[in-house]
């Protein structure tokens, strides 16, 4: 792990593998860099990627710093700062940028604001703009939190075992493993009012949602996408329900290829070994944007 000073804060980051980075990975809104550990292991263990870097976005994990209103642009600039810091003493070109969930939105904005740093995009169950939820205004109020992803941010836990149990019971966790346990343990920090809490800031989550659904940076980045890109979609939804996070991919397929990872949901696609291995296969430096589907081998868009 290492830290990178940025304007108004400091970012925590981690590197797997050796040598100049081949890939920068950006986590989802309520997660941390540790959510990429399974993908990194699959990549490094099979010599697919020389070095993979992931960071904690501001308001998550061990990163700190003042948050601006234009969150996606700020996160994109932070990612650029991490890349420039790591690459400052190494002769390396642009990298593959992978973004999971809302990290996919950040990846698109990064490619738009700093195109020279990006070779191609691997968008993992996130990235292309989604319609604003019907209950968006209500869900922006902390008192109306209903989704497990956001609800846990206001909860307090007695110890690590209690937090692990919370995640054991999460509908999206279908098989416990050491990557999930490490992610869960890293996310738990002491709470100012006693006990423990998630490291994720509710203010960060709320501001992110406002920028994603009401801001101008994401639509502009999607409309002006110039880099090769692919959407690697989970078969099931955020809570492992049958309806996926991207139920209608017809509009996306007019812009970029789409592949669906069977037996995966919005969380397990990076946290569980088999789907994480599929994601890792799309990070290989020599790989084209669209290849034969690693699941069926026929190059179909599922």
């Amino acid at each position: 792990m290492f830290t990178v000073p940025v304007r108004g804060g400091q970012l925590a980051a981690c590197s797997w593998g050796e040598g100049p980075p081949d890939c920068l990975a950006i986590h989802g809104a309520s997660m941390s860099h540790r959510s990429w550990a399974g993908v990194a292991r699959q990549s490094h263990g099979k010599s697919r990627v020389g070095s993979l870097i992931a960071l904690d976005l501001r308001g998550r994990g061990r990163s700190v710093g003042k948050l601006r209103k234009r969150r996606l642009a700020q996160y994109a600039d932070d990612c650029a700062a991490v890349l420039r810091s790591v690459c400052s003493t190494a002769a390396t070109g642009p990298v593959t940028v992978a973004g999971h969930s809302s990290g996919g939105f950040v990846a698109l904005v990064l490619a738009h604001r700093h195109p020279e740093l990006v070779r191609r995009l691997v968008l993992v169950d996130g990235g292309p703009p989604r319609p604003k939820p019907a209950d968006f205004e209500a869900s922006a109020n902390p008192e109306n939190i209903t989704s497990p992803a956001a609800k846990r941010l206001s909860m307090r836990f007695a110890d690590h075992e209690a937090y692990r149990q919370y995640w054991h019971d999460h509908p999206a966790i279908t098989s416990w493993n050491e990557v999930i346990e490490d992610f869960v343990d890293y996310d738990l920090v002491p709470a100012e009012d006693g006990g423990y809490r998630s490291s994720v800031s509710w203010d960060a989550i709320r501001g992110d949602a406002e920028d994603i659904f009401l801001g101008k940076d994401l639509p502009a980045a999607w409309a002006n996408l110039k880099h090769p890109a692919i959407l690697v979609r989970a078969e099931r939804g955020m809570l492992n329900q049958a309806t996926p996070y991207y139920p209608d991919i017809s509009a996306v397929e007019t812009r970029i290829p789409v592949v669906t990872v069977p037996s995966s949901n919005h969380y397990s696609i990076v946290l569980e070994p088999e789907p994480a291995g599929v994601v890792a296969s799309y990070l290989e430096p020599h790989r084209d944007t669209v290849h034969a589907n690693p699941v069926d081998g026929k190059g179909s868009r599922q």
Side-chain angles (χ1 to χ4, degrees), residues 67 71 75 142 153 200-208:
L67 288 160
R71 297 293 171 79
Y75 298 149
L153 307 187
V200 181
S201 160
W202 166 248
D203 287 338
I205 293 290
R206 178 172 52 187
D208 289 4

Side-chain angles (χ1 to χ4, degrees), residues 4-11 58 64-68 74-75 77-82 113:
V4 176
V6 290
R7 184 177 180 181
Q10 181 169 275
L11 305 178
R58 297 185 191 222
V64 295
K66 185 177 180 180
L67 288 160
R68 301 198 309 254
Q74 183 178 36
Y75 298 149
D77 292 349
D78 284 348
C79 290
V82 170
R113 290 175 67 85

Side-chain angles (χ1 to χ4, degrees), residues 50-245:
S51 176
L52 182 148
I53 295 172
L55 72 152
D56 292 339
L57 298 177
R58 297 185 191 222
R60 288 91 170 166
R62 306 300 179 265
S63 290
V64 295
K66 185 177 180 180
L67 288 160
R68 301 198 309 254
K69 186 174 182 179
R70 291 176 58 190
R71 297 293 171 79
L72 297 182
Q74 183 178 36
Y75 298 149
D77 292 349
D78 284 348
C79 290
V82 170
L83 280 175
R84 291 192 172 106
S85 171
V86 171
C87 299
S88 60
T89 59
T92 183
V95 303
T96 295
V97 175
H100 172 233
S101 188
S102 65
F105 305 138
V106 178
L108 278 169
V109 177
L110 171 62
H112 189 224
R113 290 175 67 85
H114 304 277
E116 73 284 359
L117 298 177
V118 179
R119 182 170 75 246
R120 60 190 178 95
L121 298 172
V122 179
L123 307 173
V124 184
D125 222 32
R130 300 174 70 245
K132 185 176 72 172
D135 62 346
F136 175 75
E137 283 74 16
S139 63
N141 185 339
E143 297 178 358
N144 296 327
I145 296 175
T146 56
S147 72
K151 189 172 184 177
R152 83 174 197 272
L153 307 187
S154 64
M155 298 174 66
R156 296 295 179 267
F157 300 89
D159 50 31
H160 279 78
E161 191 55 41
Y163 197 44
R164 290 173 188 166
Q165 188 59 52
Y166 169 87
W167 278 98
H168 266 287
D169 297 338
H170 194 290
I173 303 301
T174 60
S175 63
W176 193 260
N177 61 65
E178 62 180 11
V179 169
I180 296 175
E181 185 163 309
D182 177 65
F183 158 71
V184 169
D185 287 349
Y186 179 79
D187 185 49
L188 198 68
V189 297
E192 296 78 1
D193 53 356
Y196 294 86
R197 62 172 178 83
S198 167
S199 69
V200 181
S201 160
W202 166 248
D203 287 338
I205 293 290
R206 178 172 52 187
D208 289 4
E210 291 173 351
D211 196 26
I212 288 167
F213 292 112
L214 304 178
K216 297 180 179 179
D217 288 302
L218 178 58
W222 178 245
N224 293 282
L225 177 63
K226 301 292 193 303
H227 295 77
I230 187 168
L231 174 63
V232 183
R233 182 181 73 147
E235 183 179 49
R236 301 179 66 83
M238 186 173 288
L239 303 181
N240 202 35
Q241 68 270 43
T243 303
Y245 190 63

Side-chain angles (χ1 to χ4, degrees), residues 258-300:
V258 179
V259 294
T260 299
V261 182
S263 304
S264 67
N265 61 51
H266 189 69
Y267 284 87
S268 70
I269 196 169
V270 292
L271 291 176
E272 297 185 11
E274 188 169 342
V278 177
V279 173
S281 73
Y282 281 98
L283 304 185
E284 297 175 17
H286 66 274
R287 189 161 186 163
D288 295 332
T289 301
V290 61
H291 257 217
N293 189 300
V295 177
D296 66 16
K298 299 177 182 177
S300 60

Side-chain angles (χ1 to χ4, degrees), residues 16-17 22-23 43-44 46-52 280 283-285:
W16 291 268
D22 289 323
C23 178
S43 300
H44 184 55
K46 298 180 181 179
S47 299
R48 285 170 165 166
V49 176
S51 176
L52 182 148
L283 304 185
E284 297 175 17

